[in-house]
Amino acid sequence: AQKITQTQPGMFVQEKEAVTLDCTYDTSDQSYGLFWYKQPSSGEMIFLIYQGSYDEQNATEGRYSLNFQKARKSANLVISASQLGDSAMYFCAMREVTTSGTYKYIFGTGTRLKVLA
Amino acid sequence: NAGVTQTPKFQVLKTGQSMTLQCAQDMNHNSMYWYRQDPGMGLRLIYYSASEGTTDKGEVPNGYNVSRLNKREFSLRLESAAPSQTSVYFCASSPSRDRGYEQYFGPGTRLTVT
């Protein structure tokens, strides 16, 4: 069965430093998508970045980049130059195709990031 | 363009009561989803709908029913609420023709069952 694993329940990083949040996945599909979402204390879910399984380049969106290592089945999120506003819960997710050909998504348990001033 | 809206934002129920959580999206998305979020558990899929008139069970469907009323609306019903259903409920939608197919989430409903 498809699975997403986030092994870091909590992380601390100093302001302006870079931080890597780990995500490993398990799937037998050839075509899949990997996502990262941010959930601040206010509770909303904010889409950050997407990586397709066939994308040859690692995805980047501003200060966010996704370190995609297909053979290792890892999709780590790198946040550069951390800001106090980056303090939040971060979820890794994978899009899978169902037997009926539709898409559904599975989520990891999340990593709570705290940026220190 | 409101995106995904959910009502109510907060609700307290007594065990055995019923209620319906409403969700609507104005982005013309085909797929819609209901999740619950519990501490330390991430988001778990309750039900999803690939298109109007179709629904499928997710990871934790027991105790819930859904209706895809039309393309815009996807409701979640608790027929007989239990304390184990205390959670934050998120509705989401996604398009089927965009590159990433990422999900767009509503603001959530915080439900407490006493």
Side-chain angles (χ1 to χ4, degrees):
Chain A
Q2 279 86 345
K3 189 177 177 182
I4 292 280
T5 302
Q6 294 180 255
T7 57
Q8 305 155 313
M11 292 277 288
F12 290 93
V13 65
Q14 208 64 39
E15 196 178 8
K16 300 179 186 174
E17 298 287 315
V19 63
T20 297
L21 306 183
D22 294 341
C23 173
T24 58
Y25 61 92
D26 188 19
T27 181
S28 55
D29 293 345
Q30 296 301 309
S31 177
Y32 51 89
L34 296 155
F35 304 80
W36 278 91
Y37 289 85
K38 173 183 178 181
Q39 186 179 42
S41 57
S42 51
E44 72 268 33
M45 295 287 287
I46 302 167
F47 165 72
L48 294 178
I49 196 166
Y50 164 79
Q51 180 85 41
S53 58
Y54 292 120
D55 292 343
E56 294 183 354
Q57 304 251 9
N58 285 342
T60 60
E61 291 284 351
R63 294 185 299 108
Y64 303 108
S65 60
L66 200 152
N67 185 358
F68 181 47
Q69 297 189 40
K70 197 170 182 177
R72 297 180 61 184
K73 294 190 174 178
S74 74
N76 298 338
L77 177 71
V78 180
I79 306 175
S80 62
S82 297
Q83 302 172 355
L84 295 177
D86 293 335
S87 293
M89 183 73 96
Y90 289 81
F91 291 99
C92 181
M94 179 168 64
R95 183 191 70 227
E96 59 175 341
V97 181
T98 69
T99 52
S100 58
T102 60
Y103 291 111
K104 65 178 184 179
Y105 302 75
I106 56 171
F107 285 78
T109 52
T111 295
R112 186 171 297 282
L113 177 66
K114 174 73 173 173
V115 181
L116 304 172
Chain B
N1 188 339
V4 181
T5 57
Q6 291 182 236
T7 55
K9 286 188 166 47
F10 300 94
Q11 184 71 49
V12 179
L13 291 178
K14 289 184 171 19
T15 297
Q17 288 185 317
S18 62
M19 78 160 296
T20 300
L21 280 63
Q22 306 285 354
C23 174
Q25 52 92 8
D26 60 3
M27 296 173 282
N28 202 36
H29 288 170
N30 286 318
S31 300
M32 297 186 73
Y33 308 80
W34 275 106
Y35 294 91
R36 60 177 288 173
Q37 183 179 24
D38 303 299
M41 300 290 287
L43 275 74
R44 292 184 293 169
L45 182 64
I46 305 171
Y47 271 93
Y48 62 102
S49 169
S51 61
E52 182 181 348
T54 67
T55 61
D56 285 289
K57 293 179 181 179
E59 183 185 356
V60 287
N62 290 346
Y64 305 95
N65 285 302
V66 289
S67 294
R68 184 73 183 268
L69 305 168
N70 47 56
K71 193 171 186 179
R72 289 187 64 248
E73 298 171 290
F74 188 38
S75 62
L76 178 72
R77 183 159 179 84
L78 286 70
E79 290 291 351
S80 178
S84 61
Q85 294 178 304
T86 293
S87 189
V88 180
Y89 291 84
F90 285 97
C91 178
S93 69
S94 69
S96 55
R97 286 289 182 266
D98 285 0
R99 177 183 174 271
Y101 313 109
E102 75 263 23
Q103 295 185 299
Y104 297 77
F105 285 84
T109 294
R110 188 173 294 274
L111 174 67
T112 301
V113 183
T114 60

